[in-house]
Amino acid sequence: RIETPGDLPELTLQRLIILSLAVAWMRHPHRRSLREVPFAGLMAGWAGVALISLVGAVDLVAGVKRYLEFVFELFVFYFILATTLHSREDALRLLRAAVLALSIVATLAIVERYTGLNMVDRFIGQDPESRVLRDVRVTYRHRILLGAGLAMAFPLAAAMTQLATKRLHRLLAWLAFGAMAAGCYFSMSRGPWLALILAALVLIAFGGRALRKPLMVAGVAVVLVLLSHPGVYGTLFNKAADTVDTDSFKGGTFQYRLELYSVAYEGIKRSPWRLCFGNGPAAGLHQSIEWELSYRGKNYNIASWDNDFAYALFQYGFLGLAVTLALYGRVAGRLLVLARQSSGRQRDLFVCLCASALALFFMMSNVHIFARQLYYLFWTVAAVGFTIAEAATKPEARSFPRAEIPGEDWLGQAESPTPEFAGSSLNPIP
């Protein structure tokens, strides 16, 4: 990052990339109107509620910074994608790039687990806001956020196993699929594990037979790992047992996430304004709240909001929480509707996108999503899904779906003509 004077937002690499994209986007001659972007109204509603909340913010400087981060980093990023992706090819190219990037992260997580070497800390610089622990973090500030990112990527890798046509690329997709699961496990956090299980259940419940195949293979692999590595079974069993034991540390952290709803309500109930619009963006960022934990009966300083929805209630009130739930929940819901309206590979692709979006929605209930990478991936998934849905309504897409065009692999590269299509109009013999 490049530090800026005063309380101005730092210029991180991600923000510089967004700025360069925004400049190119404003000069783009063929971008679509913002009115055509799905959920533009809900986004405008969220921005409006957050702006009203900002007027009464308890920390105006931090509130302005947080508001600009969300509106200009996340929503503008989505608008750039949604207005410039014009075809199924564009959308799949972007999806493949996301899977490739997270495959690298998953690989680094495996390397870090067995060597103790964090590539970022060693060769780029220690994150000033991260603690020096043996946790596997890779490029994230916290192991839970790493696990959340890989849980979101798990169903996307499953989609790549279906889209690949070349044997090598199909093998790479399967390796990525396994690496996502392994990297998520190495985060050693129950939340991401549950998010990955939730994503897998969505794939099983709504996906086709071809999509269930990688999950069956994954299930067999899990059984073999449990049989050959009893320590893995012990880790999973102990963490599950600790979760339901309120006297244990892990059980306490589970109860703590639920307790934060009461903390948030206590912080906004003193006036109708606070109930509706909360304490403003970034409220509680530089303060701790004295609170008696109901499940322990002792005082505790609330300094960490490990529940994004509870924190939304504290920042933006009940109105802001409702808009937040509607915005993120409807994206996942709409992708599921598109899946149910489709068939074949198209259906499986939408199911995978929906599972990825649901993984983040679930994680927002048990961790504060302060890693922008997860939001970038969420809105990438949204833009990809809606672009593919729009492309499917075009006459040429209905007559021959893009995913079933022979002669192109999952990397968007042409293959040599196969015998059954040699001599056809698709691949004429020279």
Side-chain angles (χ1 to χ4, degrees):
R1 70 180 71 190
I2 300 174
E3 298 291 344
T4 52
D7 293 306
L8 293 174
E10 298 85 2
L11 293 177
T12 64
L13 181 61
Q14 294 173 4
R15 287 173 182 164
L16 292 173
I17 292 175
I18 291 295
L19 287 174
S20 66
L21 285 176
V23 171
W25 175 65
M26 289 186 289
R27 300 173 59 185
H28 198 292
H30 304 298
R31 69 175 187 270
R32 290 180 292 183
S33 170
L34 294 178
R35 292 190 297 270
E36 302 176 38
V37 176
F39 299 109
L42 265 178
M43 281 189 163
W46 188 96
V49 170
L51 182 61
I52 296 174
S53 176
L54 180 62
V55 173
V58 295
D59 188 340
L60 185 59
V61 174
V64 170
K65 183 177 178 180
R66 177 62 55 83
Y67 182 80
L68 294 178
E69 284 179 357
F70 269 85
V71 172
F72 288 100
E73 286 190 34
L74 303 179
F75 293 170
V76 169
F77 173 74
Y78 170 68
F79 284 131
I80 290 175
L81 296 184
T83 56
T84 53
L85 295 177
H86 293 290
S87 65
R88 182 187 178 91
E89 296 93 321
D90 290 342
L92 291 181
R93 188 177 299 116
L94 181 61
L95 184 62
R96 288 188 292 267
V99 173
L100 177 59
L102 283 157
S103 298
I104 296 173
V105 171
T107 302
L108 291 176
I110 296 172
V111 171
E112 185 174 343
R113 168 63 180 80
Y114 288 105
T115 66
L117 175 64
N118 185 294
M119 298 293 185
V120 177
D121 291 348
R122 174 67 64 87
F123 297 108
I124 298 179
Q126 177 72 37
D127 186 344
E129 297 183 25
S130 67
R131 295 180 295 171
V132 180
L133 298 170
R134 286 283 298 176
D135 293 341
V136 176
R137 295 183 295 107
V138 192
T139 59
Y140 290 80
R141 289 185 174 180
H142 198 282
R143 58 185 174 84
I144 298 178
L145 299 174
L146 166 67
L150 295 180
M152 293 177 67
F154 177 77
L156 303 182
M160 292 298 103
T161 65
Q162 306 304 302
L163 295 175
T165 55
K166 280 187 176 181
R167 182 176 300 177
L168 174 61
H169 294 154
R170 189 180 297 113
L171 174 62
L172 292 175
W174 277 96
L175 291 175
F177 180 74
M180 304 299 185
C184 184
Y185 171 74
F186 290 145
S187 70
M188 290 299 164
S189 178
R190 296 158 299 165
W193 295 352
L194 291 174
L196 189 144
I197 293 173
L198 173 63
L201 291 176
V202 171
L203 300 185
I204 294 172
F206 300 102
R209 182 178 301 175
L211 186 57
R212 295 191 186 106
K213 180 181 178 181
L215 296 174
M216 294 174 60
V217 174
V220 172
V222 168
V223 172
L224 293 176
V225 169
L226 292 177
L227 291 176
S228 60
H229 295 77
V232 175
Y233 172 78
T235 298
L236 296 174
F237 179 81
N238 291 336
K239 286 185 178 290
D242 288 343
T243 299
V244 296
D245 181 8
T246 57
D247 293 330
S248 69
F249 174 77
K250 293 295 183 182
T253 60
F254 174 74
Q255 295 291 330
Y256 176 72
R257 286 162 169 81
L258 299 177
E259 188 92 356
L260 288 174
Y261 287 109
S262 299
V263 177
Y265 176 72
E266 186 70 23
I268 64 173
K269 71 176 186 179
R270 60 183 179 273
S271 73
W273 172 275
R274 299 297 180 195
L275 280 172
C276 289
F277 301 109
N279 296 295
L285 182 64
H286 302 298
Q287 70 178 95
S288 61
I289 301 172
E290 188 72 19
W291 182 262
E292 182 178 343
L293 298 174
S294 62
Y295 58 92
R296 289 280 170 84
K298 65 178 183 180
N299 291 337
Y300 184 78
N301 286 323
I302 306 295
S304 173
W305 289 88
D306 293 331
N307 184 326
D308 221 64
F309 293 136
Y311 193 37
L313 176 62
F314 186 74
Q315 292 180 100
Y316 310 116
F318 279 102
L319 188 56
L321 175 61
V323 178
T324 300
L325 290 169
L327 178 58
Y328 290 92
R330 285 198 61 188
V331 170
R334 180 57 182 161
L335 289 170
L336 181 58
V337 169
L338 290 172
R340 296 176 66 88
Q341 293 174 347
S342 307
S343 60
R345 292 184 182 180
Q346 187 90 329
R347 177 188 178 95
D348 288 346
L349 179 56
F350 282 129
V351 169
C352 291
L353 296 174
C354 173
S356 179
L358 277 175
L360 178 68
F361 190 80
F362 170 78
M363 287 304 301
M364 292 175 73
S365 69
N366 59 85
V367 69
H368 176 37
I369 310 294
F370 56 83
R372 296 291 178 262
Q373 300 102 308
L374 301 183
Y375 286 120
Y376 289 137
L377 181 58
F378 179 88
W379 291 115
T380 295
V381 165
V384 166
F386 301 140
T387 300
I388 292 175
E390 183 183 16
T393 62
K394 298 178 181 178
E396 59 272 20
R398 289 198 300 268
S399 62
F400 204 105
R402 175 69 181 177
E404 299 176 4
I405 294 179
E408 182 170 282
D409 67 5
W410 73 297
L411 293 176
Q413 299 169 342
E415 292 187 295
S416 58
T418 53
E420 60 268 30
F421 289 99
S424 71
S425 59
L426 291 172
N427 287 302
I429 297 176

